[in-house]
């Protein structure tokens, strides 16, 4: 058989890979390749990334409508949603409401703001449960839907406040599923990247999820038309620094989706 020879022996002046003198340093070097050091934090993402001057909470709703019911669904929403939006009794506001044009078809998207955060949300939901017209609305609306989902969101501190705007515009909702643990990195990069996308007032709002599908980011943009969208996006690549920020943010993404949306007549975002 083959005799085994130790890498080092007490009398051997040579120091091999197994030398105790080098092992701690080599172990540290190896760990540095595979172990990412994370400083402990006491701040949540919501405190680090969200706007400080407001405690607004946002709800994003996706309703997949039966194709034959979309027109009736829109008509129903245009009758009922403004009443909730305009009623001072409810501490909420309709930010925008759309139909998806490109992307998932026969889909409605609604974005609500709740002034005062979760207490405002609870107040609105409690009052609506006592509203007979809204109860009937939900029942009638339910018969028109194939599926629905929602998310509760906070807005990034460095994005524009989503305020009403005149149209006509098309809107793009770009949704990013990030790798868990990368939200802070995303925020750090986009706090710089957003300045490249302000020239044409196209930046409407940026949000990140708190409840629902987690590690989700939504960027909302407004454009005159599809060609204008193409021109504005292409122009960003000619600005020094944009390509570098895209290079660093792309690895943070697991999935991404783009919806081109048309606002309903009642939408404050036109």
């Amino acid at each position: 058989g083959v005799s085994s020879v130790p890498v080092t022996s007490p009398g051997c002046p040579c120091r091999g890979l197994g030398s105790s003198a080098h092992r701690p340093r080599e172990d540290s070097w190896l760990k540095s390749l595979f172990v990412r050091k994370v400083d402990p934090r006491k701040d949540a993402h919501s405190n680090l990334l969200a706007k400080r001057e407001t405690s607004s909470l946002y709800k994003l709703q996706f309703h997949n409508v039966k194709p034959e019911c979309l027109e009736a669904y829109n008509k129903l929403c245009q009758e009922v949603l403004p009443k909730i939006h305009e009623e001072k009794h409810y501490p909420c506001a309709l930010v925008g409401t759309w139909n998806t044009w490109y992307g998932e078809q026969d889909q409605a998207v609604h974005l609500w703001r709740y002034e005062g955060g979760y207490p405002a949300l609870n107040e609105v939901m409690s009052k609506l449960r006592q509203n007979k017209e809204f109860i009937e609305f939900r029942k009638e609306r339910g018969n028109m839907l194939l599926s629905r989902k929602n998310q509760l969101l906070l807005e990034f501190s460095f994005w524009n406040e989503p305020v009403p705007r005149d149209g006509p515009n098309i809107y793009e909702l770009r949704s990013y599923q990030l790798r868990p643990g990368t939200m802070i990195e995303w925020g750090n990069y986009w706090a710089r990247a957003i300045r490249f996308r302000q020239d044409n007032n196209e930046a409407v709002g940026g949000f990140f999820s708190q409840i629902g599908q987690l590690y989700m980011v939504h960027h909302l943009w407004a454009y005159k038309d599809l060609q204008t969208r193409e021109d504005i996006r292409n122009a960003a690549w000619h600005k020094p620094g944009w390509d570098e920020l895209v290079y660093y943010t792309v690895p943070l993404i697991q999935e991404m989706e783009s919806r081109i949306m048309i606002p309903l007549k009642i939408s404050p975002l036109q």
Side-chain angles (χ1 to χ4, degrees), residues 4-100:
S4 60
V5 179
V7 176
T8 58
S9 64
C12 177
C14 301
R15 289 178 177 171
L17 187 62
S19 168
S20 60
H22 277 197
R23 184 171 293 165
R25 184 182 300 173
E26 286 161 354
D27 286 352
S28 298
W29 179 78
L30 285 170
K31 285 180 181 177
S32 72
L33 293 179
F34 300 108
V35 178
R36 183 178 177 186
K37 295 177 182 177
V38 178
D39 294 328
R41 301 200 68 113
K42 295 182 180 179
D43 292 328
H45 290 168
S46 56
N47 293 331
L48 292 168
L49 297 171
K51 291 187 189 300
R52 299 282 181 145
E53 67 274 14
T54 177
S55 57
S56 293
L57 179 71
Y58 290 81
K59 179 168 69 176
L60 186 61
Q61 298 174 297
F62 298 99
H63 290 173
N64 293 314
V65 185
K66 297 174 183 176
E68 67 275 14
C69 295
L70 186 59
E71 186 176 345
Y73 172 92
N74 288 339
K75 185 174 183 293
L76 186 64
C77 287
Q78 291 181 137
E79 290 173 358
V80 177
L81 298 189
K83 296 177 183 178
I84 301 171
H85 170 71
E86 294 164 4
E87 175 57 67
K88 295 180 181 178
H89 187 57
Y90 301 115
C92 66
L94 182 64
V95 178
T97 176
W98 304 266
N99 285 158
T100 300

Side-chain angles (χ1 to χ4, degrees), residues 171-197:
Y171 288 81
E172 181 175 19
L173 183 65
R174 295 179 71 86
S175 302
Y176 303 89
Q177 177 69 62
L178 302 187
R179 291 191 293 107
T182 61
M183 186 66 75
I184 299 297
E185 287 182 76
W186 179 272
N188 287 339
Y189 287 125
W190 263 97
R192 287 176 281 162
I194 192 64
R195 72 177 187 268
F196 293 101
R197 299 297 311 276

